C-alpha cells in the first residue's frame, strides 16, 4: 500500500509540467467539479501540499497547479451563480427537492448577504459544505458578479495559501527525510485535514442545536 502511494506521488510530481496538458486539465476539471458540488475529498488539497513539499512554493509546477485551481473554481462557481441567477426559484426548488441540507442553509444564507457580502461569501467558501450554498445564494439574490469573483479570489488566497505554507513547513522541516517516506507525510497531512473538517462539522452541529 505504501509503495503504491509512493509510486502515485512520484507520478504526480512528474506529471505536473507544461509538457503534460492532460495532467493540468485533470486538475482543472477536478476544481470545477468540486465547486459545482462533486467533491473528491482532499484530492486537490493533497496535490497543492505535496507539490509544494516536493518542488518548492515558487516553483513552476506549483504555480501551474494554482492557476488550474483558481481557473477551475471561477468556472465552477460561475456556472452555479449564473444558473441560479437566470432560473431563480425554479432552480432553488429543483435543488431543494434533492438536498434538504442545501435548501435549509440557502434560506439562512440569503438573509446574511447584505453589507458585508464579500466577507460572508469568503467565510462560507472556507466552511465545509457551504461553498455551493454561497454560489446559489449569490445568484438568487443577484449580487454583482465582480463581488463573487473577488470572494473566490480571497478565499483561494486564504485556503490554498495555507496549504502552501504547510507544504513549505514540511519541506523545510523534513528536508532530510528520504523520498520513501513521502507517503507517510501525505497520510499525516490528510489525517490532519480530516480531523479539522470533522471538528468544524461537530462545531456546526452543536451551534445548530444550541
Amino acid at each position: 500500500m505504501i509503495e503504491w502511494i509512493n509510486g502515485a506521488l512520484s507520478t504526480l510530481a512528474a506529471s505536473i509540467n507544461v509538457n503534460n496538458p492532460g495532467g493540468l486539465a485533470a486538475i482543472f476539471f477536478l476544481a470545477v467539479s468540486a465547486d459545482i458540488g462533486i467533491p473528491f475529498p482532499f484530492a486537490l488539497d493533497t496535490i497543492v501540499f505535496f507539490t509544494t513539499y516536493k518542488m518548492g512554493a515558487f516553483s513552476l509546477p506549483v504555480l501551474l497547479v494554482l492557476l488550474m485551481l483558481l481557473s477551475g473554481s471561477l468556472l465552477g462557481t460561475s456556472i452555479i451563480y449564473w444558473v441560479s441567477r437566470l432560473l431563480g426559484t425554479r432552480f432553488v426548488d429543483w435543488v431543494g427537492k434533492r438536498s434538504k441540507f442545501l435548501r435549509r442553509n440557502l434560506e439562512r444564507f440569503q438573509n446574511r448577504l447584505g453589507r458585508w457580502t464579500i466577507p460572508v461569501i469568503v467565510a462560507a467558501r472556507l466552511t465545509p459544505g457551504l461553498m455551493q450554498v454561497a454560489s446559489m445564494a449569490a445568484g438568487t439574490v443577484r449580487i454583482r458578479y465582480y463581488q463573487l469573483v473577488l470572494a473566490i479570489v480571497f478565499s483561494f488566497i486564504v485556503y490554498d495559501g495555507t496549504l502552501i505554507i504547510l507544504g513549505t513547513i514540511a519541506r523545510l522541516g523534513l528536508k532530510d527525510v528520504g523520498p520513501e517516506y513521502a507517503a507517510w507525510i501525505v497520510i499525516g497531512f490528510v489525517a490532519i485535514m480530516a480531523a479539522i473538517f470533522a471538528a468544524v462539522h461537530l462545531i456546526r452541529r452543536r451551534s445548530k442545536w444550541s
Side-chain angles (χ1 to χ4, degrees):
M1 180 66 176
I2 297 299
E3 292 181 359
W4 181 87
I5 295 176
N6 279 327
L9 292 174
S10 298
T11 302
L12 171 64
S15 65
I16 301 175
N17 59 71
V18 293
N19 297 319
N20 184 20
L24 297 176
I27 295 173
F28 173 79
F29 285 111
L30 282 174
V32 173
S33 298
D35 272 58
I36 65 175
I38 307 174
F40 295 87
F42 309 119
L44 295 174
D45 304 348
T46 301
I47 290 173
V48 175
F49 171 81
F50 180 74
T51 307
T52 304
Y53 164 72
K54 196 74 174 178
M55 305 295 184
F58 299 103
S59 63
L60 180 58
V62 171
L63 295 179
L64 290 173
V65 168
L66 295 179
L67 178 61
M68 293 301 102
L69 291 179
L70 180 57
S71 301
S73 292
L74 287 168
L75 177 58
T77 297
S78 296
I79 290 172
I80 295 181
Y81 170 84
W82 286 112
V83 171
S84 301
R85 181 162 181 158
L86 293 173
L87 298 182
T89 56
R90 287 178 293 172
F91 181 62
V92 172
D93 292 339
W94 181 82
V95 173
K97 292 177 181 178
R98 290 157 177 78
S99 175
K100 293 182 180 179
F101 171 83
L102 280 177
R103 186 175 185 86
R104 181 176 62 251
N105 284 279
L106 178 63
E107 293 172 351
R108 296 176 180 175
F109 193 81
Q110 285 175 326
N111 297 326
R112 299 178 183 177
L113 288 177
R115 183 178 179 183
W116 304 103
T117 301
I118 294 176
V120 168
I121 296 177
V122 170
R125 290 181 61 83
L126 296 175
T127 304
L130 293 184
M131 181 183 296
Q132 292 74 34
V133 173
S135 303
M136 290 179 59
T140 54
V141 175
R142 293 176 172 267
I143 71 164
R144 294 180 179 180
Y145 181 63
Y146 82 87
Q147 292 180 299
L148 179 66
V149 171
L150 288 176
I152 294 171
V153 172
F154 290 150
S155 62
F156 172 81
I157 291 173
V158 173
Y159 190 82
D160 290 272
T162 301
L163 296 177
I164 289 176
I165 291 173
L166 293 175
T168 301
I169 292 173
R171 179 178 176 84
L172 296 176
L174 303 172
K175 59 184 179 180
D176 296 327
V177 175
E180 65 273 15
Y181 294 101
W184 290 110
I185 294 173
V186 170
I187 290 172
F189 165 76
V190 172
I192 292 173
M193 293 296 294
I196 293 174
F197 274 63
V200 171
H201 178 70
L202 290 175
I203 292 172
R204 285 180 57 200
R205 284 179 61 88
R206 289 187 178 182
S207 62
K208 174 183 175 181
W209 295 109
S210 59

